[in-house]
Amino acid sequence: KEEEEEEELRQRFMAPPVSGLRELRRRRRELRSRMELLIMETQGEVCRALAALDPGATFAVDTWERKEGGGGISCVLQDGEVFEKAGVNVSVVFGVLSEEAARQMRSRGKSLKAKDGKLPFCAMGVSSVVHPKNPHVPTMHFNYRYFEIEEADGTKQWWFGGGTDLTPTYLNEEDAVHFHKTLKEACDKHDLKLYPKYKKWCDDYFYIKHRDERRGIGGIFFDDVDSPSKEEVFQFVKSCAKAVVPCYVPIVKKHCHDSFTPEEKLWQQLRRGRYVEFNLVYDRGTKFGLLTPGSRIESILMSLPLTARWEYMHTPPESSKEAEILEVLRNPKDWVH
């Protein structure tokens, strides 16, 4: 029976888990193991759902090891009919946190007591960015992660973070409402206060300060969450991860065969440029990854689109479809009330 269960899990994953299936089953009551199983399942679920929308394309599955401890699985689909680039990454890394990375955390209000300047840590998560070819299909990003640090006296600090957000090139109100409602339902199962709180956090986080606009039309975002209890936060993160496919896939299905003009494609490329600006200048995950010794640069920068454009002084005409999306990016809307 045990072998059957293992085989069933293998079928659901894109590759064997970093910690090994036997080890995860042996420690299956521990939250770390349950989280690793959840991110592996989420990766498999999302990859299968995206591959079904783009039958000619396949995910390249790349497993990698980090010599300092741990590793990951990067699944990337490039140049399909529907998706220009879609990546779904899992990483499970552990070892000792550099002073620089620890300082970045401390600046976020975490006081951490290091032993001889060192902090043993474990970080794991699943993250994905999907850049479609058609400008009428929005870009989607999600990430769910767990962090654990052991302080000098042996106490463990832990927290979860994550979110799911949508970046359309053109505004479609119906899609925006569907996306936000699906995420709200996932949050509401746990606490009615969560969606409004994390929706606002998302709008504030994905803010491109130097442009005075948001990266997209938001979704939910949270970080450093360590209450009410480990189990409750884990169950909440699980609900959010399970909402990824239903909040996004119907939108792709609806628009992936829409016709578009060269001008619309050009606008998509310019919006992609903004996406790159946010990720390289402000994104906390990218910064943390670049500061973590032995981290895999290819996986960190997987979020960047295959193509993007920066035109000098480009301003869309007033009351155009392009100006309409900019208005929403400058003044976030409430989509569900």
Side-chain angles (χ1 to χ4, degrees), residues 42 46-47 49-50 53 83 85-88 127-132 137-144 163-169 179 183 206 215-219 240-241 243-252 272 275 279 302-303:
T42 304
V46 174
C47 287
L50 296 177
L53 296 167
F83 301 113
K85 188 176 175 193
V88 191
S127 74
S128 170
V129 177
V130 182
H131 292 293
V137 182
T139 282
M140 188 268 301
H141 155 259
F142 78 88
N143 168 283
Y144 290 100
T164 304
D165 62 280
L166 199 67
T167 305
T169 301
F179 185 79
L183 294 177
F206 291 106
R215 188 177 78 176
I217 58 158
C240 294
V244 170
V245 170
C247 77
Y248 183 58
V249 165
I251 298 174
V252 183
R272 292 260 178 87
Y275 205 91
N279 281 29
M302 170 224 56
S303 64

Side-chain angles (χ1 to χ4, degrees), residues 196-213:
K197 180 180 172 184
Y198 294 157
K199 190 252 182 217
K200 184 185 182 311
W201 198 338
C202 188
D203 289 334
D204 293 345
Y205 178 76
F206 291 106
Y207 176 56
I208 309 171
K209 209 172 173 178
H210 60 270
R211 299 280 191 185
D212 186 28
E213 58 189 50

